[in-house]
């Protein structure tokens, strides 16, 4: 299983589905386990959760900052 690809896939799903994002915020480990569909060791699960959280946060920051640097006509 390609963990990096799964992380990207999960992040894209979270960005497009507010209900899924809410579920992730309530129980990130549970959502990741459900989404991946296979048992992975707890430490690897924690790493995936942390990576998804970081990616979602960076995307939010990037989106917010993008508006600051847009060229005005």
């Amino acid at each position: 299983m390609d963990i990096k690809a799964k992380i990207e896939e999960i992040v894209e799903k979270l960005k497009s589905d507010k209900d899924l994002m809410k579920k992730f915020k309530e129980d990130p480990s549970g959502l990741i386990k459900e989404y991946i569909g296979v048992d992975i060791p707890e430490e690897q699960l924690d790493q995936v959760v942390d990576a998804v959280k970081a990616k979602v946060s960076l995307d939010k920051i990037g989106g917010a900052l993008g508006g600051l640097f847009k060229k005005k006509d």
Side-chain angles (χ1 to χ4, degrees), residues 13-71:
K13 282 283 204 187
L14 291 173
K15 289 182 345 185
S16 66
D17 186 334
K18 290 181 182 182
D19 292 332
L20 198 61
M21 180 64 87
K22 180 180 177 187
K23 189 174 180 181
F24 178 73
K25 288 178 180 179
E26 292 170 356
D27 183 15
S29 295
L31 180 95
I32 298 295
K33 281 182 185 178
E34 180 182 321
Y35 193 82
I36 290 178
V38 296
D39 283 336
I40 60 175
E42 197 65 32
E43 76 177 34
Q44 192 175 16
L45 177 63
D46 291 343
Q47 291 173 348
V48 172
V49 169
D50 290 343
V52 170
K53 284 181 180 178
K55 181 76 174 146
V56 168
S57 294
L58 284 175
D59 287 350
K60 283 183 181 177
I61 291 169
L65 290 177
L68 293 174
F69 299 107
K70 285 186 179 177
K71 185 176 179 181

Side-chain angles (χ1 to χ4, degrees), residues 1-13:
M1 171 173 37
D2 184 357
I3 297 295
K4 288 181 182 183
K6 280 292 184 187
I7 290 169
E8 290 297 324
E9 189 177 317
I10 293 167
V11 168
E12 289 304 313
K13 282 283 204 187

